[in-house]
C-alpha cells in the first residue's frame, strides 16, 4: 500500500483517470447503473472468438466432411476433425459461461447488463453457443468408426450449429467483436 495521508486511490476503467475516492468505483456504470458498455461485451466476444473461431474455420474447411459418419476427416489417418468436435464443445461452453457471468451481478466476472443496443445480440450469441455445445455432444460419437446411419442427420445438425455460430460472430463485427 502507498502511504500518503489521504484515502486510497481507485483506478478507473480509463487508465489515465486516477483520482482519490473514498467509495468503490463501478466501472460498469458508464452507461447507467448496473450496465456495461458495448465495448466491454464486444471485447469478451472478440477474445472468445479468437479461440473458437479458429476451430470453426478448421472444421468447416475441406479437411472435414460432416456427411460421412465414422469418417469425418477427409485425410486418411487423420483424427483432427473428430478431436475438434470435443474441443469446440468446451469452447462453446466457455463462451456461454463467460457471457452469462458478465451479466451476473453476484459473480466475480460481472461487468453489468448489456446495453439495450446489443442485448438481443448477447442473448443470441449465448443461444448459438448453447446449441453448438449440445450438437457437438450428439456429434461426438458419430465421428468414430462404425457410427450408425442416424449420424448423418446428427452431423448435419452439428454443421448447421457451426454455421450459426459463425454467423453470430459475424453479427458482432460492427462492434469490434
Amino acid at each position: 500500500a502507498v502511504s500518503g495521508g489521504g484515502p486510497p486511490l481507485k483506478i478507473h476503467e480509463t487508465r489515465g483517470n486516477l483520482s482519490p475516492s473514498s467509495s468503490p468505483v463501478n466501472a460498469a456504470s458508464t452507461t447507467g447503473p448496473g450496465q456495461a458498455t458495448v465495448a466491454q461485451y464486444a471485447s469478451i466476444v472478440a477474445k472468445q472468438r479468437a479461440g473458437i473461431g479458429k476451430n470453426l474455420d478448421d472444421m468447416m474447411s475441406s479437411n472435414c466432411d460432416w456427411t460421412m459418419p465414422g469418417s469425418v476427416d477427409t485425410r486418411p489417418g487423420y483424427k483432427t476433425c473428430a478431436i475438434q468436435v470435443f474441443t469446440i464443445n468446451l469452447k462453446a461452453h466457455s463462451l456461454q459461461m463467460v457471457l452469462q457471468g458478465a451479466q451476473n451481478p453476484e459473480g466475480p466476472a460481472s461487468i453489468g447488463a448489456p446495453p439495450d443496443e446489443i442485448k438481443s445480440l448477447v442473448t443470441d450469441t449465448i443461444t448459438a453457443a448453447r446449441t453448438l455445445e449440445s450438437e457437438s455432444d450428439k456429434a461426438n460419437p458419430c465421428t468414430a468408426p462404425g457410427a450408425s446411419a442416424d449420424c448423418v442427420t446428427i452431423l448435419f445438425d452439428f454443421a448447421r450449429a457451426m454455421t450459426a455460430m459463425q454467423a453470430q460472430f459475424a453479427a458482432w463485427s460492427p462492434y469490434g467483436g
Side-chain angles (χ1 to χ4, degrees):
V2 176
S3 61
L9 292 176
K10 303 293 180 184
I11 300 174
H12 292 269
E13 185 177 82
T14 54
R15 298 201 186 277
N17 186 13
L18 297 177
S19 63
S21 174
S22 59
S23 61
V25 174
N26 182 359
S29 67
T30 56
T31 57
Q35 193 171 50
T37 65
V38 169
Q40 286 173 303
Y41 273 93
S43 176
I44 289 171
V45 171
K47 287 176 187 172
Q48 293 290 314
R49 180 183 192 175
I52 199 171
K54 170 88 171 90
N55 290 101
L56 288 169
D57 291 345
D58 289 347
M59 293 172 75
M60 298 301 285
S61 75
S62 61
N63 293 331
C64 303
D65 182 353
W66 301 107
T67 64
M68 298 295 296
S71 181
V72 295
D73 282 277
T74 59
R75 299 159 298 170
Y78 281 78
K79 300 286 183 217
T80 307
C81 299
I83 291 168
Q84 287 198 57
V85 173
F86 178 73
T87 303
I88 205 85
N89 180 279
L90 298 174
K91 290 181 178 181
H93 181 77
S94 175
L95 175 58
Q96 291 173 70
M97 294 298 102
V98 170
L99 286 174
Q100 289 171 337
Q103 298 176 69
N104 180 355
E106 306 292 320
S110 177
I111 60 172
D116 290 342
E117 177 183 353
I118 61 165
K119 191 174 283 187
S120 65
L121 184 56
V122 171
T123 300
D124 292 347
T125 303
I126 292 169
T127 299
R130 186 176 295 127
T131 300
L132 181 57
E133 179 186 18
S134 173
E135 295 302 329
S136 65
D137 274 338
K138 296 174 198 170
N140 195 35
C142 293
T143 63
S148 74
D150 295 339
C151 284
V152 171
T153 301
I154 292 168
L155 291 174
F156 176 78
D157 291 344
F158 175 58
R160 190 170 50 200
M162 287 190 289
T163 301
M165 190 76 254
Q166 287 179 317
Q168 274 310 119
F169 284 140
W172 280 94
S173 294
Y175 304 103

